[in-house]
Amino acid sequence: MENNRGSWSSRFGFLMAAVGSAVGLGNLWKFPYLAGENGGGAFVLVYIGLVVLLGFTLMLAEMTIGRHANSDAYGSYNKIKKGWGFVGGIGILAGFLILSYYSVVGGWVMKYIVASFTGTGTDKSVFFGNFISSPVEPLVYHLIFMGLTAIIVIRGISGGIEKASKFLMPALFVLLLVTVLRSVTLDGAMEGIKYFITPNFSEITLKVVIAALGQVFFSLSLGMGIMVTYGSYLRKDEDMEKDAFIIPSLDSLVAILAGFAILPAVFALGFKPGEGPGLMFITLPAVFENMPLGSIFGALFFVLVFFAALSSSISLMEVTVAFGIDKLKWSRKTSVIIFTTLMFIIGIGASLSMGEWSDFLIPWIDGKSYGIFDFLDVVTSYYLLPLGGLLGALFIGFVWGVPNAVKEIKIGSKFVTEKLWSILIKYVVPILVFLILLSTTGLLNKLFGL
């Protein structure tokens, strides 16, 4: 039944939307360079193990809270236990702030699609630096990206988000497979393949585990209210246990395919695998430029990245829009327009902080000062998301109670992993997420000298 809140019209549509929320720049950009920096196959092995422990457990937990309460992230926690809405509020705030600067990066991706087709930007580092520091052009792309996100979300759950995701996700997989085939067939690609799939167990250190732990958490969109919100649109007979396996599995598949698309090409053409954040916008364009038919594959790759960015942005937008509909009693249209406008305005500051406003710095509790873009990233990624995930796990384990959550899950599932999940959500996940918080705030470094 489609109402002001909306609902999924099919299980496939929900799965594609949920996978789309998880698949984003973290898979196609961050995972390959983290693998490059942290021992290749060693990082991949640790990552897969943590997806099973952390990803499945928290994803099922968040969907369960949402479906049980049938409300936005704030309302779901508050309905289950009065006074605990702030946990969902942390996720809503995180999603709101993330999309404010994420859409700026989405705009950069759109610019690179245009540049790939037109062949502009010979020196990639100069081209990228000049573009992001421009006062006007990035804002135009930022506005277009926010506009596309708003158009999809304003059409509702089944008519907008679900319909878009049914196209975006299959198209993303096809484009990614084409890119992988091109990359692994380059002369010299085998060195990169071996690096990516061969684990060197001596490389598995606490630092690698923490890096993989953080990547699992952020890649799966945990702690930002998305899965609580999407779960609230589920029917009671939905098998959430199965969904909580499928979504992280497909998300991880995209991340691993991205590694096969990028690292063999990087090795084949003599670049370094651990180039860090510049890998996507500086190194990869240079890689594509140096391969046969590179302009075509470069354009395809950035179309692929655009699909991933857009599928994530619509889920981030829906978290805040659902709050506007359920808590503030706005219509979907009003909620989308107001939140899109606010995010765009904040994004202006994030974009200008790369150029004309680069001297404007905001002090933070870690003793450092950041530009607007970096400030939004640090506050959300390092503090709000892990905090939201930690409190969510503790909420089920010690406030709502594991037996109540299990009862909700069993409405539509046999729940064969009940005993394991109960232990993980109550004890193991809080410890793992607490380690992320310690790491990202720098306390782990002080304690263990990482």
Side-chain angles (χ1 to χ4, degrees):
M1 181 179 69
E2 184 73 31
N3 50 32
N4 200 34
R5 289 201 82 247
S7 59
W8 307 110
S9 67
S10 68
R11 183 163 187 262
F12 177 73
F14 160 67
L15 287 173
M16 289 301 96
V19 172
S21 74
V23 171
L25 297 178
N27 301 73
L28 301 176
W29 162 56
K30 197 172 182 181
F31 181 85
Y33 88 68
L34 280 176
E37 290 177 334
N38 292 283
F43 178 85
V44 175
L45 186 66
V46 174
Y47 177 86
I48 292 171
L50 289 172
V51 164
V52 175
L53 287 176
L54 182 68
F56 162 73
T57 308
L58 261 182
M59 185 154 290
L60 180 55
E62 293 191 358
M63 286 193 294
T64 302
I65 290 169
R67 192 182 73 175
H68 180 78
N70 190 36
S71 186
D72 66 287
Y74 175 89
S76 290
Y77 282 96
N78 208 46
K79 276 186 179 181
I80 294 172
K81 186 67 175 179
K82 200 75 174 174
W84 278 80
F86 73 93
V87 178
I90 290 171
I92 294 168
L93 177 62
F96 175 82
L97 294 177
I98 287 169
L99 187 51
S100 298
Y101 73 88
Y102 191 91
S103 62
V104 174
V105 182
W108 297 350
V109 174
M110 295 179 73
K111 170 64 177 179
Y112 266 68
I113 294 173
V114 174
S116 296
F117 281 113
T118 57
T120 55
T122 304
D123 188 323
K124 300 306 175 187
S125 59
V126 172
F127 172 73
F128 182 62
N130 288 343
F131 168 64
I132 66 170
S133 61
S134 169
V136 178
E137 193 178 9
L139 294 181
V140 174
Y141 284 102
H142 166 46
L143 177 62
I144 294 170
F145 189 84
M146 283 298 303
L148 289 171
T149 303
I151 288 169
I152 293 170
V153 175
I154 210 168
R155 293 176 64 86
I157 300 303
S158 62
I161 297 173
E162 186 175 344
K163 189 175 288 185
S165 299
K166 282 180 178 179
F167 165 75
L168 290 173
M169 284 302 98
L172 182 148
F173 274 99
V174 171
L175 288 174
L176 187 52
L177 286 171
V178 170
T179 310
V180 168
L181 287 173
R182 184 68 199 98
S183 179
V184 299
T185 52
L186 289 169
D187 290 337
M190 187 53 67
E191 187 182 348
I193 295 171
K194 287 179 180 177
Y195 177 80
F196 188 56
I197 66 173
T198 308
N200 180 350
F201 292 100
S202 65
E203 297 270 6
I204 300 178
T205 63
L206 184 57
K207 182 181 177 182
V208 170
V209 173
I210 293 298
L213 197 56
Q215 176 62 11
V216 168
F217 194 85
F218 304 130
S219 176
L220 290 175
S221 302
L222 301 172
M224 60 181 76
I226 291 175
M227 288 305 155
V228 176
T229 304
Y230 276 15
S232 75
Y233 303 126
L234 285 173
R235 298 191 307 268
K236 285 293 186 181
D237 61 353
E238 182 69 31
D239 189 340
M240 294 190 296
E241 181 187 31
K242 191 178 291 184
D243 294 341
F245 274 117
I246 293 172
I247 297 164
S249 297
L250 290 177
D251 177 74
S252 300
L253 177 61
V254 171
I256 291 168
L257 286 174
F260 279 115
I262 292 169
L263 292 177
V266 167
F267 271 85
L269 297 166
F271 291 87
K272 295 179 181 179
E275 286 292 335
L279 184 66
M280 177 179 288
F281 292 107
I282 299 172
T283 306
L284 277 178
V287 167
F288 287 122
E289 202 170 68
N290 283 281
M291 70 166 63
L293 301 175
S295 60
I296 295 173
F297 285 99
L300 281 176
F301 178 78
F302 280 103
V303 169
L304 162 70
V305 175
F306 169 73
F307 283 177
L310 186 61
S311 65
S312 290
S313 72
I314 60 180
S315 65
L316 288 165
M317 175 71 78
E318 181 59 25
V319 172
T320 56
V321 168
F323 175 75
I325 293 170
D326 293 342
K327 178 66 176 175
L328 304 177
K329 305 305 178 185
W330 294 341
S331 69
R332 174 169 288 273
K333 184 177 181 181
T334 299
S335 191
V336 170
I337 290 172
I338 290 174
F339 284 123
T340 299
T341 303
L342 291 173
M343 289 173 188
F344 174 72
I345 291 170
I346 295 172
I348 292 174
S351 181
L352 292 177
S353 69
M354 297 293 175
E356 293 194 352
W357 290 6
S358 59
D359 293 333
F360 178 75
L361 301 176
I362 304 170
W364 185 235
I365 57 176
D366 60 2
K368 299 177 183 178
S369 295
Y370 300 93
I372 297 173
F373 186 102
D374 290 336
F375 176 78
L376 292 170
D377 183 36
V378 167
V379 169
T380 54
S381 299
Y382 293 176
Y383 295 87
L384 292 181
L385 294 189
L387 183 60
L390 175 61
L391 290 173
L394 293 175
F395 177 80
I396 284 186
F398 300 96
V399 180
W400 185 24
V402 172
N404 288 319
V406 167
K407 185 179 177 181
E408 175 66 32
I409 295 166
K410 282 187 171 180
I411 294 173
S413 170
K414 293 180 181 178
F415 204 15
V416 295
T417 58
E418 176 188 342
K419 290 183 179 178
L420 175 62
W421 183 83
S422 300
I423 294 169
L424 289 173
I425 194 64
K426 193 168 185 177
Y427 303 110
V428 179
V429 167
I431 293 170
L432 290 176
V433 180
F434 187 63
L435 281 175
I436 298 174
L437 266 174
L438 285 179
S439 172
T440 54
T441 55
L443 292 175
L444 202 66
N445 292 16
K446 293 175 183 178
L447 291 171
F448 295 100
L450 292 180

